Each structure stands twice: as structure tokens, then as C-alpha cells.
Amino acid sequence: MTSVAVLGTGLLGTAIATRLLHQGLNVHVWNRDSSRIAPLAAMGANVIDDLEQVVENHRPIITVLRDASATTSVIDGVGHLQGSTVIPMGTMGVEESRNLAKHVAGQGGSYLEAPVLGSRPQALNGTLLVMAGGEALDFNQQHELLTHLAEQPMHVGPVGSGAATKLALNQMIASLTHSFSLSIRLIQQSGVPVETFMKILRPSALYAPTFDKKLQRMLDQHYSDPNFSTALLRKDLRLFLEEAAAAGLQTNGLQGLATLLEDAQGGDLDDQDYCALHELTVLR
């Protein structure tokens, strides 16, 4: 039976571990707050009490942690990696990922960044979009594991390319949600029925499925039960802007959105679904 460790059991990490358990894998789980492991243990996951237990049997190590700093700290706690492959699935900066790869190599392990597009529902049904960055050999060795989570995991290039691809996609999440919110606000204030607007938008080249996924939440101001929070969206947009600046890109058009999200930091929207940025597109 294939054995894998999942470090970090927040919303996405729990969904990933659950999917792997349902696929018949021998799953070992760890979380800083051990109480969050209980549901997975009840499903048959093995609880890791000490991070040094992670590398037993040279199992691959999937990390689903908030950022590069948290991931590095946890991998430090594992100690010598004994040839295990570390597979971070969280979002981090390009240089952060490259530095983590060097860190992992210094601990005797291999590294395959594998950030994902999708959230809890996609993780549970195995339809995440995986964009892997690293050596082709490492990708080929972990391909079977990744196919439990994605129908067609993609190797996009060397370390850093997966991180860049994920940031590019998450920037679009922020931009699309923001632009859609502004459009909805304007047509409502102009007296145009929202469904009339949507009937025009849906068959057009401007339509994106995320619009219908978030529309009712925005109209109902229902932002609880997030799959991806406003705080994480802000963090990822900040990372994108840092990478874009380093690449010499003009980002003035995004700065206003970044400012909106920064101004909301520490407020009620942080832990809610990211489409709560709809609350920021009207003057109060």
C-alpha cells in the first residue's frame, strides 16, 4: 500500500488527506493543532505525534501550509529527510520556493513543488489542477500519487515555474472577482435586473464560470463556509505583486485592488470567502 504524509490539515489539507484515504492510500497526518486531526484519524489516518516520524519508509511528504515560512519551519522540524520527496501544495513566491528546494536538498530530500488550483470540493473528487515544478524524474516518480488528486497533473518546468503559474492564476481570481463585483454594483444601481445582465454575459466571450459560482453569495452577502479566504487571497495577491515587480512588470492597475484588500486586513472579511471583497466595492 502506498504511504504518504500530509502535513497541515486545514480546509484544503483535510480534503487532500480525505481523498487519499478514500483512494486506499496509507495516510499519515500532522497538524500543529492536533485537535484538527481527529476527524481524519476516525477515517483511518495515522496520526504523526512527532515530526521526526514523518520520513519513516521514505514516504513522500505533502505539505499544505499557509506560506513558505510555515513550510520551512515544519520541514526543519522533520530533520534529515532520508531521500523523501517534499511536495508543497500551498501557494508561495517563486524565490521562496527555490529557497525551500535548497533547504530540502540540504536535509537530504528531493523537492517537487505542486501548487494546486481548486479547493475543498475539487480535492475531494480528485479534480484539482496540479502545476508541478521540479526535476522531470521527481515528477515522474510522484505522478501516480498526484493522479489521485488531479486527472492530469502537469509538469510546467523547473522549480519556481509551478509557483509562478499558481500566482498568475490566483491574481486572476482576485481580478475577475473584483471586476465582476463592480459590474454587478453598477447594473444594480442603474436598475438593470441582475439576471438580464447575466443572460447577456453568459454567452459572451467575457464570461467566466466563477461568476455564476459566486453570484448568489454576493447577492445574499453569504460569505461563510469559505473554501478560500479573503486573507489568503490578499496574501497571494501581495506575492504576485512582489514577483511582478521583480520581473519588471507594470502593476499600477492592480494596486488599487491590493489597497482595498489591505485596508480590510484584520476585519470581519478575513476569514470569510474571498468573494466577500464584494463588500469593498461600494463606498460607505
Side-chain angles (χ1 to χ4, degrees), residues 103-144:
H103 204 80
V104 167
Q107 290 177 228
S110 300
Y111 184 85
L112 182 72
E113 62 183 9
V116 301
L117 187 67
S119 53
R120 186 175 181 274
Q122 291 75 34
L124 290 172
N125 65 23
T127 59
L128 290 169
L129 299 176
V130 172
M131 54 216 81
E135 296 291 335
L137 176 62
D138 292 323
F139 175 73
N140 291 336
Q141 289 177 338
Q142 303 304 327
H143 186 266
E144 182 177 354

Side-chain angles (χ1 to χ4, degrees), residues 65-93:
L65 299 159
R66 179 179 178 84
D67 53 29
S69 177
T71 305
T72 301
S73 175
V74 168
I75 293 301
D76 276 344
V78 174
H80 196 278
L81 292 166
Q82 302 176 24
S84 293
T85 301
V86 175
I87 310 172
M89 291 192 162
T91 305
M92 63 183 75

Side-chain angles (χ1 to χ4, degrees), residues 137-241:
L137 176 62
D138 292 323
F139 175 73
N140 291 336
Q141 289 177 338
Q142 303 304 327
H143 186 266
E144 182 177 354
L145 170 62
L146 296 176
T147 56
H148 291 295
L149 301 172
E151 293 174 347
Q152 291 184 312
M154 295 185 65
H155 182 225
V156 297
V159 171
S161 58
T165 304
K166 181 56 163 50
L167 287 176
L169 291 165
N170 278 20
Q171 181 274 131
M172 294 183 69
I173 293 174
S175 294
L176 284 170
T177 306
H178 182 232
S179 64
F180 184 57
S181 172
L182 285 170
S183 292
I184 291 297
R185 293 285 189 195
L186 181 63
I187 63 122
Q188 286 182 308
Q189 292 187 22
S190 301
V192 178
V194 171
E195 188 53 34
T196 298
F197 175 73
M198 294 304 297
K199 285 180 179 178
I200 297 169
L201 176 62
R202 288 187 185 109
S204 77
L206 302 174
Y207 178 73
T210 188
F211 296 156
D212 269 311
K213 285 181 64 176
K214 297 301 181 182
L215 175 61
Q216 201 59 50
R217 273 182 172 263
M218 289 176 168
L219 297 179
D220 295 342
Q221 296 180 297
H222 169 62
Y223 310 121
S224 59
D225 305 318
N227 290 317
F228 184 52
S229 70
T230 306
L232 288 176
L233 183 68
R234 178 175 55 250
K235 184 264 293 183
D236 291 353
L237 184 58
R238 185 186 300 136
L239 279 174
F240 176 87
L241 288 169

Side-chain angles (χ1 to χ4, degrees), residues 42-54:
M43 285 186 272
N46 301 285
V47 175
I48 297 171
D49 297 314
D50 185 337
L51 280 173
E52 293 184 358
Q53 301 170 352
V54 169

